[in-house]
Amino acid sequence: MSNDAILLDLADGLARVTLNRPDRLNAVDPAAIARWREIGELVASRDDVRAVLLDASGRAFCAGGDLRAMSELAAATAADADATGRAVTGGAAITALADEIHAGHRAFRDSGVPIVAAVQGIVAGGGLGFMLVADVIVASEAAAFQSGYADVGLTPDCGVSWLLPEAVGQRRALELTLTSRRLSAAEALDWGLVTEVVAPDAVADRALEIANGWLAGASGAFGQAKRLVRAAAERSFADALDDEARTIGEAFDTPEAQARIAAFTRR
């Protein structure tokens, strides 16, 4: 296994992105955050990437931010500020980290590429945001989900304050962020937090099956459908209709659509 905090494998149109700090439950430190942004921006910029599979090494998907690494960074920043007389706090360093990781989240979420996540074990704190940048989420029956921010005196990051209500509704999002509630995989499915739940040993294969289905299909249409649905919450119905009209017209003229329409009409 590579020592890279996050792995990237690009092959035949599929970008496989693997959180790779299993000894820390894939909690992200500054190196992982920089790598996440780098990979997100790379994937979003490449025309040959037609599907993304997001998974994780070890027994957990992601426990959010590595509090030990965050504390060490904040302490070093504050000490440096004291030594130089600059008005910089440890919290300012954490804000800078959050800005960097959020750039990666924006790149993945706003990309015209469908994303499937394979989720096992615990998903906590910012790990919810990593999971929710995916469009389809396959979870293990053994997975568990919680916020945990308030337990350590922190507030949501990684888009959780936006992505979580989008997925489960405001009332349930408030329950998760304001209490220590932990959801089982079955509860997460019932709430709409994940797409489907499978046996632990089936998670990887099922996620890959979904990604391969996108690769074998009209991948351009999948990407545009993702973009239309993801943008819905941020604009008016009229703007959505106008965008749909332009997009379906452009899709109609693509070789992918023409071949499939011809095959359909010959049935």
Side-chain angles (χ1 to χ4, degrees):
M1 181 67 69
S2 168
N3 289 326
D4 286 346
I6 302 179
L7 307 178
L8 173 64
D9 180 63
L10 294 169
D12 301 322
L14 177 65
R16 185 166 191 156
V17 181
T18 303
L19 306 179
N20 188 44
R21 300 187 76 224
D23 58 324
R24 300 294 296 160
L25 301 181
N26 295 310
V28 293
D29 65 353
I33 288 170
R35 180 70 170 150
W36 175 253
R37 176 178 184 172
E38 175 189 11
I39 291 174
E41 293 175 348
L42 175 66
V43 165
S45 69
R46 291 185 57 140
D47 293 336
D48 59 334
V49 174
R50 295 179 287 120
V52 175
L53 196 164
L54 174 61
D55 61 10
S57 303
R59 60 190 177 90
F61 179 74
C62 181
D66 186 328
L67 293 177
R68 181 192 301 166
M70 291 168 65
S71 296
E72 291 172 352
L73 175 65
T77 301
D80 180 63
D82 288 343
T84 60
R86 294 181 298 124
V88 179
T89 67
I94 302 307
T95 295
L97 273 184
D99 284 338
E100 184 166 20
I101 202 167
H102 293 167
H105 277 59
R106 279 193 295 271
F108 277 109
R109 187 183 178 279
D110 295 344
S111 71
V113 182
I115 303 171
V116 57
V119 175
Q120 80 283 7
I122 188 68
V123 184
L128 293 169
F130 276 89
M131 180 184 79
L132 289 169
V133 298
D135 307 299
V136 175
I137 300 168
V138 180
S140 162
E141 293 170 343
F145 308 83
Q146 67 182 117
S147 163
Y149 287 106
D151 294 338
V152 292
L154 296 178
T155 55
D157 64 347
C158 294
V160 170
S161 67
W162 200 99
L163 294 169
L164 188 59
E166 181 191 47
V168 304
Q170 186 182 82
R171 191 67 59 194
R172 283 174 162 171
L174 284 167
E175 180 179 358
L176 278 182
T177 53
L178 297 179
T179 73
S180 297
R181 175 75 181 268
R182 175 182 288 207
L183 298 182
S184 68
E187 289 170 323
L189 180 63
D190 180 62
W191 279 30
L193 185 61
V194 302
T195 308
E196 61 182 275
V197 173
V198 300
D201 61 358
V203 174
D205 287 344
R206 176 58 182 147
L208 183 58
E209 179 184 18
I210 291 169
N212 284 335
W214 292 331
L215 294 173
S219 56
F222 289 129
Q224 288 300 316
K226 165 190 171 166
R227 182 186 63 79
L228 288 167
V229 172
R230 287 292 198 180
E234 303 164 19
R235 60 185 179 179
S236 70
F237 183 50
D239 287 342
L241 292 175
D242 290 342
D243 195 356
E244 284 185 352
R246 289 191 299 271
T247 302
I248 196 171
E250 292 169 358
F252 188 87
D253 287 335
T254 64
E256 283 185 323
Q258 286 296 303
R260 285 169 169 76
I261 291 169
F264 183 85
T265 56
R266 287 196 296 268
R267 291 178 183 173

